[in-house]
Amino acid sequence: MHNYTYSNKRVQLLLGFIIGMIFGFLLQKGGVTNYNVILNQLILRDFTVAKIILTAILTGTIGIYLMNELGIIQLQPKPFYLNGILVGGLVFGVGFALLGYCPGTAAGAIGTGSVHAFFGAIGILMGVEIFSMTYPFFKNSLLKKDYGLITIPEILGVGSLVLILFMLISFFLFFLVMIV
Amino acid sequence: MDYLFLARWSPWIVGIGIGALVWISFLFSNRAIGVSTAYTRMGGIIELFVRGEIVKEREYFKKFVPKVDWEWMLVLGVIIGSFISSILSGQFKVEFVPVFWSKAFGESIFLRLITALLGGVLVGFGARLAGGCTSGHGISGTSQLAVSSWMALILFFTGGIGTAMFLFNLIGGI
């Protein structure tokens, strides 16, 4: 069944669209397509963004590692280009504060009528274009050293089931701390 | 059904929902949810219209071919899904200068739009150099407990918090 759905291009485009619609719906309902909510997170006055991201990660991890353990899916971690991530991550962060959106929430904010998010999206397109033109330079400098597709459990040498249990406990504790 | 019309949902519910979407994407599409690659393809598609086929010769566009794919459709869906949600909850609003910004830097539309554009350039460039954005690294990658993605997420927020505090607390006086 999976091989069929994976390889059917039209089904995949439709699935991408539907998953995107639900994603956009959730982002708006969570308040994170709102510039004010994101900036209040960045000055550490409101923790809505952190709550959503951390809950999504905990939920995601449990399901992903369970399915991986059962052999239904395969992990696809991104390569660890230490220098590229270091510089790129900080540049992204500075831009994140100036724009007030990341690429996904900017798209969502456009849907809610944010004109400045639209200008931000044009800026993002310009930024990725600049990167595409300068890629040969970065490939031979900041992106030269790749430390591989490593995950935290691989480094720590723990199994998936231990990890899932650990995540469930952290989930519970995190929830408790945030509620109290 | 009333639930769909609410202005805000609990961040816990939203977070669990997004986490479940990560499972669904892996299970049914063999994909990690991400957004910034779609901007790369879109940039390429626009350039194709303007400059023609020669654009496909660029090394980066051989890696990320300028075409409509799963992730491109995902971003289109995000715009529409968010639009539907904002209409249902009566929050759709054409906004040039958000409240938080105007408290620190005034009502100038030009200043806000030019800052958003500049911020966007840094976000786009930084995301591609880091290999992903808040979705691809920050949610999908961290869910797989990838070392790269955890480092990226921490740096996104380190840069973001530092810059926002400097701009709005120190200069803007918020």
Side-chain angles (χ1 to χ4, degrees), chain B residues 6-168:
Chain B
L6 286 180
R8 286 282 274 275
W9 286 356
S10 148
W12 313 110
I13 302 291
V14 171
I16 290 171
I18 293 173
L21 277 183
V22 172
W23 310 342
I24 292 169
S25 303
F26 261 96
L27 191 58
F28 293 107
S29 295
N30 194 23
R31 293 270 195 164
I33 289 181
V35 171
S36 67
T37 314
Y39 280 87
T40 305
R41 295 194 203 276
M42 190 62 199
I45 290 170
I46 294 170
E47 228 190 328
L48 265 177
F49 271 109
V50 179
R51 297 182 50 225
E53 293 290 312
I54 191 165
V55 174
K56 287 186 179 168
E57 296 301 312
R58 192 178 299 158
E59 190 181 356
Y60 201 60
F61 287 144
K62 287 182 177 161
K63 267 178 82 169
F64 300 101
V65 180
K67 61 167 190 188
V68 170
D69 71 338
W70 186 90
E71 203 169 303
W72 195 97
M73 292 299 287
L74 179 103
V75 177
L76 181 67
V78 168
I79 299 174
I80 294 173
S82 174
F83 171 72
I84 294 171
S85 173
S86 70
I87 291 287
L88 288 180
S89 54
Q91 287 178 314
F92 183 88
K93 180 175 142 239
V94 176
E95 179 187 76
F96 283 90
V97 183
V99 180
F100 187 93
W101 171 272
S102 65
K103 269 195 276 181
F105 299 110
E107 298 287 344
S108 163
I109 291 176
F110 177 77
L111 185 64
R112 175 58 202 141
L113 293 187
I114 204 76
T115 310
L117 188 81
L118 175 70
V121 173
L122 297 178
V123 163
F125 184 84
R128 293 328 295 166
L129 184 54
C133 63
T134 335
S135 304
H137 266 316
I139 293 173
S140 299
T142 48
S143 289
Q144 299 172 67
L145 300 175
V147 175
S148 53
S149 299
W150 274 97
M151 180 173 158
L153 180 65
I154 290 166
L155 286 164
F156 293 163
F157 277 90
T158 306
I161 291 168
T163 309
M165 287 192 146
F166 176 74
L167 268 184
F168 292 94

